[in-house]
Amino acid sequence: MRSLIFLGILSLALARKTFFGDQVLTVHPKNEAQVQAIKNLDTKVDFWSPDSPAGISVGSSADIRIPSEILPAVKVALRRQKIEFEVMIEDVESLVGEQFKSAQGRGILDGTTAYDYEKYHTYDEINDWTNAIAAENPTMVQRTVLGQSTEGRDIPMLTLSSGQSASNPEILVDCGIHAREWVSPAFCQWFVRQLLDEPNNVRISEATYHIIPSINVDGYAYTWTNDRMWRKTRSKNGLCYGVDPNRNWDAGFGGEGSSSSSCAETYHGPYAESEPEVKAVADFMRANKDNVKLYVTYHSYGQMILYPYSYTYDLAANTDELDFYAVQGKNAIQSVHNKRYIYGPGAVTIYPAAGGSDDFAYDTGIKLSYTIELRDKGVYGFTLPESQIQATCEETDAFMQVMHNAVVSPTYQA
Ligand code: DDK
Ligand code: ZN
């Protein structure tokens, strides 16, 4: 057994891609020529924010991971073209390595109260945890499997409710659409614990919560074993692997902000819901649209509260309402640890992005629909340290409390 565990750790350490000497640069293009020069780096670099070269524009900045092999040449080129930049992350591997080291030698789950919610967990750990927490709380937690991923992994969902709840509003929360955004699944796990530990289980007695800790299970598993910076699913399409699961929904499918190239990070896939992970959740939304009053999907990073639409610049019919709660939510977040979030319709606040889950939920009939970009604003980016999980979750919980109050209010009309 001991040697098996040792082998497991060894193979994890051997197979994983490393990022020694890679840096994340924040660049500030000031004219079209500079924008073009940055866009031309496309296939050689990894766009963190925005998530693809299409999102780069004059006057905005961009965080880009540059592999160590080309870093000197890229810096020379940036200087020659007088493109302003600074180093956001000195050595990506040192941050990534810390996160993997933290998981090494970790024992099998022994009870969900001892589970460490301030650490990042593997897919297997999260899946085991969903089973354990349902078994430990049989009256309040129900575990269902929404479907299987391309590689055959289960996609578990936890439904939390307590007391008489037949007519209670329902709330759908998902995490981990994008694989490398690790703080997102961390929040979903923490939030389940929080709802269960709350005195009198107030929120789950007033509403039924459906929480999907990790949608993109294959991609997430892949970030642990092979490539920490993987974003997409793991289906094979043409020459490349992976569809962007936040461009694959049947909402403006194939439109602006999505790519038809299977190698692109924003590849929309061969057709809407081609990804079984997306179809599983979309099926759930269609089946429960009359009862689900709120959908929140968690991503990182950038500290934003986004609402429909992202596939069009048109405003949603109830924009005033969406905006009203976004402002309340932003203020609630700020009151906890003074973190500032921006808010607004997706297309103008971040970038146009057709085929997203929030727009699909909205068009399916869930009239309160939000995408949250969690911490940070470009210090650690995707490699947000575990030491920030707790604070991130606390302030995000304040947002969820605002949204809860909105949908359980007796005067709320969906
Ligand atoms: O999918 C993206 O690129 C970001 C999250 Se990382 C969100 C874009 C806005 C919401 C699209 N429905
Ligand atoms: Zn994302």
Side-chain angles (χ1 to χ4, degrees):
M1 187 61 188
R2 189 173 282 263
S3 61
L4 256 181
I5 292 171
F6 178 72
L7 269 177
I9 291 167
L10 196 71
S11 63
L12 198 91
L14 287 182
R16 174 173 82 74
K17 173 173 171 178
T18 56
F19 302 91
F20 292 105
D22 288 17
Q23 292 191 339
V24 179
L25 305 183
T26 302
V27 298
H28 309 276
K30 294 282 185 303
N31 56 51
E32 272 310 324
Q34 296 187 344
V35 166
Q36 201 47 53
I38 294 165
K39 285 184 175 178
N40 288 344
L41 296 169
D42 187 7
T43 55
K44 298 177 236 83
V45 302
D46 171 20
F47 290 88
W48 279 24
S49 176
D51 60 3
S52 76
I56 293 174
S57 61
V58 174
S60 70
S61 55
D63 305 335
I64 308 172
R65 178 175 62 85
I66 318 285
S68 57
E69 313 84 69
I70 60 166
L71 184 64
V74 167
K75 282 184 173 173
V76 166
L78 290 174
R79 289 193 182 105
R80 193 176 51 228
Q81 291 164 96
K82 303 217 163 31
I83 299 173
E84 271 176 46
F85 71 93
E86 71 264 354
V87 177
M88 169 177 146
I89 296 179
E90 284 283 345
D91 176 37
V92 175
E93 179 60 26
S94 68
L95 295 173
V96 166
E98 245 171 73
Q99 298 183 338
F100 283 103
K101 216 166 68 206
S102 167
Q104 258 172 41
R106 192 152 62 198
I108 317 286
L109 189 70
D110 42 40
T112 59
T113 36
Y115 192 74
D116 196 337
Y117 294 87
E118 295 179 47
K119 294 222 179 305
Y120 295 121
H121 290 277
T122 63
Y123 166 76
D124 287 333
E125 286 173 331
I126 295 172
N127 191 40
D128 288 352
W129 167 84
T130 61
N131 278 309
I133 205 156
E136 284 170 14
N137 303 277
T139 61
M140 293 190 284
V141 182
Q142 194 198 342
R143 177 184 183 273
T144 49
V145 172
L146 288 175
Q148 276 77 37
S149 66
T150 294
E151 294 177 349
R153 289 183 182 83
D154 285 343
I155 304 163
M157 178 174 82
L158 297 175
T159 296
L160 280 69
S161 66
S162 114
Q164 289 84 44
S165 56
S167 63
N168 281 356
E170 298 181 25
I171 293 170
L172 176 63
V173 179
D174 68 42
C175 292
I177 284 190
H178 288 138
R180 63 187 175 180
E181 299 164 9
W182 279 15
V183 73
S184 164
F187 171 72
C188 268
Q189 295 166 75
W190 185 97
F191 187 54
V192 167
R193 186 77 258 164
Q194 176 73 12
L195 291 173
L196 292 175
D197 288 351
E198 204 163 67
N200 303 318
N201 302 108
V202 184
R203 277 185 280 183
I204 62 173
S205 70
E206 294 175 342
T208 296
Y209 280 78
H210 304 286
I211 300 173
I212 309 169
S214 170
I215 294 189
N216 179 8
V217 290
D218 293 351
Y220 188 71
Y222 193 76
T223 60
W224 278 86
T225 54
N226 293 68
D227 181 353
R228 174 66 183 81
M229 292 306 148
W230 192 257
R231 164 184 168 98
K232 300 190 285 180
T233 61
R234 288 295 300 164
S235 58
K236 180 111 200 277
N237 303 277
L239 288 176
C240 286
Y241 281 89
V243 164
D244 184 341
N246 210 26
R247 302 291 182 277
N248 189 241
W249 302 69
D250 197 2
F253 178 80
E256 199 179 345
S258 69
S259 171
S260 57
S261 157
S262 74
C263 299
E265 293 287 7
T266 53
Y267 176 46
H268 50 54
Y271 52 92
E273 297 181 18
S274 61
E275 303 313 282
E277 302 84 355
V278 169
K279 182 169 190 308
V281 181
D283 283 343
F284 180 83
M285 286 181 185
R286 278 185 285 262
N288 297 279
K289 62 178 164 47
D290 295 336
N291 300 327
V292 176
K293 304 298 175 199
L294 166 68
Y295 170 66
V296 187
T297 179
Y298 282 96
H299 290 254
S300 77
Y301 60 94
Q303 298 181 198
M304 299 176 190
I305 301 170
L306 307 169
Y307 52 79
Y309 285 108
S310 291
Y311 70 75
T312 171
Y313 288 99
D314 292 351
L315 293 180
N318 63 333
T319 294
D320 289 353
E321 185 186 27
L322 287 161
D323 200 75
F324 176 80
Y325 294 121
V327 174
Q328 279 198 17
K330 160 214 166 348
N331 290 335
I333 290 169
Q334 198 177 329
S335 73
V336 180
H337 296 295
N338 206 29
K339 290 296 174 193
R340 287 167 201 263
Y341 275 57
I342 60 167
Y343 60 94
V348 291
T349 309
I350 180 165
Y351 38 66
S357 68
D358 51 358
D359 287 355
F360 177 77
Y362 184 81
D363 281 349
T364 300
I366 304 172
K367 292 299 170 199
L368 290 179
S369 176
Y370 294 92
T371 295
I372 309 299
E373 293 270 27
L374 293 167
R375 290 193 192 186
D376 52 19
K377 287 205 290 184
V379 177
Y380 293 102
F382 301 121
T383 51
L384 191 75
E386 288 178 329
S387 59
Q388 289 197 38
I389 293 175
Q390 175 69 15
T392 302
C393 292
E394 286 167 356
E395 67 205 16
T396 308
D397 187 47
F399 171 81
M400 288 306 300
Q401 183 71 61
V402 163
M403 298 313 303
H404 174 94
N405 295 347
V407 296
V408 302
S409 155
T411 56
Y412 180 71
Q413 295 294 323

